[in-house]
Amino acid sequence: MADSGLLLKRGSCRSTWLRARKARPQLILSRRPRRRLGTLRWCGRRRLRRRLLQAQAAGVDWREGARQVSRAAAAGRPKTATPSPIPSPTPASEPESEFESASSCRRPLLIPPVRPVGPGRALLLLPVEQGFTFSGICRVTCLYGQVQVFGFTISQGQPARDIFSVYTHSCLSIHALHYSLPEKSKKELKREARNLLKSHLNLDDRRWSMQNFSLQCSIVLLEHLETASVNFITSYPGSSYIFVQESPTPQIKPEYLALRSVGIRKEKKRKGLQLTESTLSALEELVNVSCEEVDGCPVILVCGSQDVGKSTFNRYLINQLLNSLPCVDYLECGLAAITLTQAISLLTLSHTVLVTGLLTVLALPSLNCSVPCPWPEEIRPPFTHLRTPQKMVYYGKPSCKNNYENYIDIIKYVFSAYKRESPLLINTMGWVSDQGLLLLIDLIRLLSPSHVVQFRCDHSKYMPDLTPQYVDDMDGLYTKSKTKMRNRRFRLAAFADALEFADEEKESPVEFTGHKLIGVYTDFTYRITPRNRESHNKILRDLTILSYLSQLQPPMPKPLSPLHSLTPYQVPFNAVALRITHSDVAPTHILYAVNASWVGLCKIQDDVRGYTNGPILLAQTPICDCLGFGICRGIDMEKRLYHILTPVPPEELRTVNCLLVGAIAIPHCVLKCQRGIEGTVPYVTTDYNFKIPGASEKIGAREPEEAHKEKLYRRPKFCRKMK
């Protein structure tokens, strides 16, 4: 009986499906067969799924076809009740009251939010409090309304902004904001919006925008963006995916094609930046303090372990401050993933440009840039916007371990350039355990911040709360506790000589009464782990160097020029001094270490032109201003010349009298993937013995010879390119 019932059930299911398939047109599925999808076998489901995908690829909407067939079938049956109307994609009628209009504008649009308006251009309609998360690069113009990108507000009438939402950072989102509406009717508002769109859109696109127009919505124009920096970076293998990523499954949707022509791709909301409540509360408090400060400009120090969001918080806070302040000062004290050039720098971020997107603010400075800020015109990661610092010192090491005193002296030297005319934001290292915590206490006492923002998360190491009482009671590496001082007051006069303040500041030192501690808890998905952190940082450093070298390229639309085809500067041996900052090198091997290296172009106080011959070697690393960076692409031993390739302008190069070589290496792709090289590639070989101790990247590590086909090196016997 059970078997007969089972056979009857199978037969009924299959016969019903066959009757439905024969009775309906191809690729159309009505409501009744859809309810029986659960009884199909896996092969039937796979066959049905394949047919539906083929129909979708051909441009057929099987849902719409099924709806039409269902309507036709319903028309032939006698009516027993009034059918419910099917929602129409046409815009709703004009609301009668302001309350109804405010509630209706919060509803999601029933129309596709993206419309192609020409080759490489797309129109985006965003209802209020809704966002559009994407990856890729594009140029954004707010035609009507007001939107926000990573904390910075873009309003109608402002110039276009270049936005970079790249793979190495979280995806950016364009959020529509509330904005004040004049006392006008909806008809008058639509007429005003139509006039604003005339200079950007044609008649059909304006009609589409007005048909789907709603109160408090924002209209954004997305355009294809192409720059010399992007073209230069993507010209190297392995770097093209940074800016443009193809979808894993090709799509034929109009929205996908419109965004693809622009150069971006829509992403899920969870891939964008998600800020916690404590982060938003800290941002609001710091913005209010910076805008309402009367007695002086606040000094904000951000600390925490690695990969907790310090750099992201700094950029977001800078963007929020630039919405209402003319400029913000930024002091970079990090060395590893924060400052990709391993430099300590002080920058002034003004309102002439927009502050940018994700990771670190201002990693590598640019010497031929006329505007000294990171965002309001470009919203991008640090390796795509390079700015001129107010003062910078090239440290040249990935860590300050075993060299704390020199690190403190460099921070004193750079901090002395702070004029206290705008709020100062200080970024610190992620080393907060053992001696790193004591060094952080020294920095708090030295820099005397008014606010300390301390980050923590579930995966971070334990770090005590840096309250004023804790800082006063603890001894640092070079400072003593101040528990005997009443009210925890201390003066900067003790540090005046070391900081080299101006004369007027020495006469009236600023007095501080401790700091306010703000705790921030972050909770997001981490892609960086202790295993891949070093490789991730290396990728960012390589991208920063490539972006810096892209300044040597001619402006668009001229074609790119290979680096080996550019003419370098010739620097005599007796015009500059040499120093290796990260290791001890024998004097006989100094030139081998300098050749094909990334060098810092610095200016020291001593005069080195009194020497007739060279090279001139320094006994210790000086604390001096760094004006830029370059590549020593060759050394002419006969003429005693260095060949330096750098984007630093000649008027700046005249003051350079010192070359510092640090731990940063030239990206491998620069040496291996140069276009137009014939024959043997310089500084690259396949005949290399990895079994020799010290031959690998890590000293003492041994790697199998089959693990690498090519190895970059700078060994004395292979540096025969020096003439």
Side-chain angles (χ1 to χ4, degrees):
M1 187 68 179
D3 297 339
S4 62
L6 182 60
L7 293 175
L8 179 61
K9 183 178 180 180
R10 286 183 178 178
S12 175
C13 173
R14 186 167 182 79
S15 61
T16 303
W17 170 249
L18 290 175
R19 288 197 303 270
R21 187 175 62 178
K22 293 179 180 180
R24 303 295 183 187
Q26 293 291 331
L27 304 176
I28 293 180
L29 197 62
S30 64
R31 298 179 181 178
R32 185 176 179 183
R34 285 205 305 270
R35 288 196 300 266
R36 294 188 176 272
L37 284 177
T39 61
L40 290 178
R41 295 182 179 180
W42 67 271
C43 57
R45 293 183 182 180
R46 185 177 62 179
R47 188 184 305 110
L48 177 62
R49 187 183 299 110
R50 183 169 60 250
R51 291 182 178 178
L52 295 179
L53 290 176
Q54 293 175 355
Q56 184 179 3
V60 179
D61 191 351
W62 62 274
R63 295 184 182 86
E64 185 64 26
R67 189 179 297 120
Q68 294 176 0
V69 172
S70 300
R71 292 177 184 174
R77 293 193 299 267
K79 294 185 179 181
T80 57
T82 304
S84 59
I86 300 176
S88 173
T90 57
S93 59
E94 183 175 349
E96 298 180 358
S97 62
E98 295 181 0
F99 178 82
E100 184 180 356
S101 64
S103 61
S104 62
C105 68
R106 296 173 182 265
R107 301 171 186 171
L109 292 177
L110 300 177
I111 51 130
V114 178
R115 172 184 172 88
V117 292
R121 303 171 78 235
L123 195 63
L124 176 65
L125 268 70
L126 283 178
V128 66
E129 295 183 356
Q130 290 194 19
F132 175 76
T133 305
F134 68 96
S135 63
I137 59 176
C138 64
R139 179 163 293 167
V140 174
T141 306
C142 185
L143 303 181
Y144 184 81
Q146 194 175 63
V147 296
Q148 187 179 83
V149 182
F150 203 72
F152 189 83
T153 302
I154 305 175
S155 304
Q156 64 185 41
Q158 293 184 356
R161 312 298 183 185
D162 297 343
I163 299 183
F164 290 67
S165 180
V166 298
Y167 174 73
T168 53
H169 302 82
S170 301
C171 296
L172 292 180
S173 300
I174 304 176
H175 293 278
L177 302 179
H178 282 280
Y179 52 89
S180 58
L181 289 175
E183 296 181 358
K184 298 179 181 179
S185 62
K186 183 177 180 180
K187 185 176 181 180
E188 294 176 342
L189 293 176
K190 293 178 68 174
R191 185 184 300 110
E192 179 183 355
R194 188 184 298 109
N195 294 333
L196 293 175
L197 301 180
K198 280 185 178 180
S199 59
H200 301 277
L201 306 176
N202 56 28
L203 181 60
D204 294 338
D205 297 331
R206 294 199 302 270
R207 288 177 178 175
W208 178 86
S209 302
M210 293 300 101
Q211 289 175 358
N212 303 284
F213 180 84
S214 61
L215 297 181
Q216 288 287 344
C217 79
S218 299
I219 304 177
V220 179
L221 179 63
L222 308 176
E223 297 177 286
H224 180 73
L225 176 63
E226 188 174 4
T227 63
S229 298
V230 173
N231 293 341
F232 180 77
I233 294 176
T234 55
S235 64
Y236 291 96
S239 302
S240 58
Y241 72 95
I242 298 295
F243 300 102
V244 180
Q245 296 184 65
E246 294 294 336
S247 177
T249 56
Q251 304 179 22
I252 315 297
K253 297 181 180 179
E255 177 183 353
Y256 171 80
L257 297 178
L259 296 178
R260 183 179 180 181
S261 65
V262 176
I264 62 177
R265 188 181 70 181
K266 186 178 180 180
E267 300 289 351
K268 296 181 179 179
K269 184 179 179 180
R270 59 181 176 85
K271 290 189 176 182
L273 181 64
Q274 305 293 333
L275 300 179
T276 60
E277 295 182 1
S278 60
T279 304
L280 296 175
S281 176
L283 289 169
E284 182 180 2
E285 179 179 355
L286 294 175
V287 170
N288 294 335
V289 168
S290 301
C291 297
E292 300 174 1
E293 190 72 23
V294 179
D295 299 334
C297 299
V299 178
I300 305 168
L301 186 141
V302 180
C303 61
S305 59
Q306 292 179 330
D307 306 326
V308 294
K310 299 190 301 296
S311 300
T312 301
F313 178 85
N314 290 336
R315 286 190 314 278
Y316 203 99
L317 176 59
I318 290 174
N319 296 338
Q320 291 279 312
L321 293 176
L322 288 181
N323 287 328
S324 53
L325 296 178
C327 62
V328 178
D329 288 334
Y330 180 82
L331 177 61
E332 177 60 81
C333 299
L335 293 176
I338 303 302
T339 303
L340 303 181
T341 57
Q342 300 173 1
I344 299 174
S345 56
L346 175 67
L347 307 104
T348 299
L349 314 180
S350 66
H351 224 302
T352 54
V353 265
L354 285 181
V355 179
T356 159
L358 294 164
L359 190 74
T360 327
V361 178
L362 309 166
L364 186 62
S366 165
L367 274 301
N368 60 356
C369 183
S370 59
V371 275
C373 164
W375 253 58
E377 235 175 47
E378 296 99 9
I379 300 177
R380 54 180 69 182
F383 56 81
T384 58
H385 69 281
L386 308 176
R387 304 299 175 192
T388 305
Q390 185 177 347
K391 183 177 285 292
M392 180 181 64
V393 174
Y394 183 39
Y395 191 72
K397 301 176 184 178
S399 175
C400 64
K401 292 183 179 180
N402 303 324
N403 198 11
Y404 311 109
E405 188 174 0
N406 187 30
Y407 177 75
I408 290 291
D409 292 339
I410 292 177
I411 292 181
K412 290 179 182 179
Y413 177 77
V414 176
F415 183 67
S416 64
Y418 176 51
K419 303 302 181 182
R420 297 181 180 84
E421 298 176 352
S422 58
L424 175 64
L425 185 61
I426 304 173
N427 190 25
T428 59
M429 296 185 300
W431 182 31
V432 293
S433 60
D434 301 330
Q435 292 179 328
L437 179 61
L438 302 180
L439 186 62
L440 179 60
I441 293 176
D442 287 339
L443 289 181
I444 293 177
R445 290 174 180 165
L446 173 65
L447 304 177
S448 301
S450 59
H451 296 77
V452 174
V453 182
Q454 184 174 351
F455 276 77
R456 63 183 59 195
C457 62
D458 293 336
H459 79 287
S460 61
K461 296 181 179 180
Y462 171 75
M463 181 180 178
D465 293 338
L466 299 178
T467 60
Q469 182 66 34
Y470 180 85
V471 174
D472 288 345
D473 296 340
M474 288 292 297
D475 291 336
L477 286 178
Y478 299 98
T479 59
K480 300 298 181 181
S481 60
K482 300 182 179 295
T483 54
K484 297 182 180 180
M485 296 184 63
R486 296 181 179 180
N487 300 327
R488 299 186 299 274
R489 296 193 177 188
F490 52 96
R491 293 174 175 268
L492 282 179
F495 301 100
D497 296 336
L499 294 177
E500 299 179 0
F501 287 148
D503 295 337
E504 60 273 9
E505 294 176 352
K506 288 183 179 180
E507 296 176 359
S508 58
V510 181
E511 189 174 87
F512 292 90
T513 58
H515 63 269
K516 180 179 181 181
L517 179 63
I518 301 177
V520 174
Y521 175 80
T522 57
D523 183 16
F524 51 88
T525 304
Y526 296 89
R527 294 182 296 178
I528 303 177
T529 62
R531 293 185 177 181
N532 65 3
R533 180 180 290 114
E534 183 59 32
S535 61
H536 181 79
N537 295 342
K538 183 179 182 300
I539 292 174
L540 295 178
R541 283 192 293 268
D542 292 348
L543 291 175
T544 303
I545 293 176
L546 291 178
S547 181
Y548 187 84
L549 295 176
S550 66
Q551 301 176 73
L552 295 167
Q553 300 298 320
M556 297 290 295
K558 295 182 179 180
L560 298 177
S561 300
L563 294 180
H564 64 84
S565 64
L566 302 177
T567 303
Y569 292 99
Q570 295 181 355
V571 182
F573 277 9
N574 59 355
V576 294
L578 299 179
R579 176 64 182 175
I580 309 298
T581 63
H582 63 288
S583 62
D584 295 330
V585 180
T588 56
H589 292 168
I590 285 290
L591 294 182
Y592 297 124
V594 175
N595 192 28
S597 295
W598 183 260
V599 296
L601 309 178
C602 305
K603 179 176 61 175
I604 60 178
Q605 299 296 331
D606 300 335
D607 188 9
V608 299
R609 295 188 179 274
Y611 298 89
T612 56
N613 297 323
I616 304 172
L617 306 182
L618 297 177
Q620 59 183 2
T621 303
I623 299 178
C624 56
D625 294 339
C626 180
L627 304 181
F629 299 92
I631 296 178
C632 181
R633 56 166 295 178
I635 299 177
D636 192 335
M637 297 298 296
E638 296 179 358
K639 298 181 180 180
R640 310 187 72 79
L641 296 173
Y642 304 109
H643 295 279
I644 305 297
L645 191 64
T646 176
V648 179
E651 55 271 14
E652 295 283 347
L653 287 177
R654 293 189 181 96
T655 62
V656 173
N657 57 2
C658 179
L659 300 181
L660 297 182
V661 180
I664 295 181
I666 300 176
H668 292 184
C669 59
V670 173
L671 299 178
K672 295 194 301 183
C673 304
Q674 287 290 321
R675 295 182 293 106
I677 296 181
E678 299 180 358
T680 304
V681 180
Y683 308 107
V684 178
T685 183
T686 57
D687 185 13
Y688 196 84
N689 188 3
F690 290 91
K691 297 181 180 180
I692 301 177
S696 59
E697 294 181 359
K698 295 183 179 180
I699 302 300
R702 297 176 183 268
E703 299 177 5
E705 188 174 0
E706 295 80 14
H708 299 271
K709 294 183 178 180
E710 291 183 327
K711 182 68 177 180
L712 302 180
Y713 63 90
R714 287 192 295 273
R715 294 292 176 183
K717 64 177 181 179
F718 292 116
C719 290
R720 55 180 178 272
K721 288 298 176 181
M722 297 187 300
K723 298 180 180 179

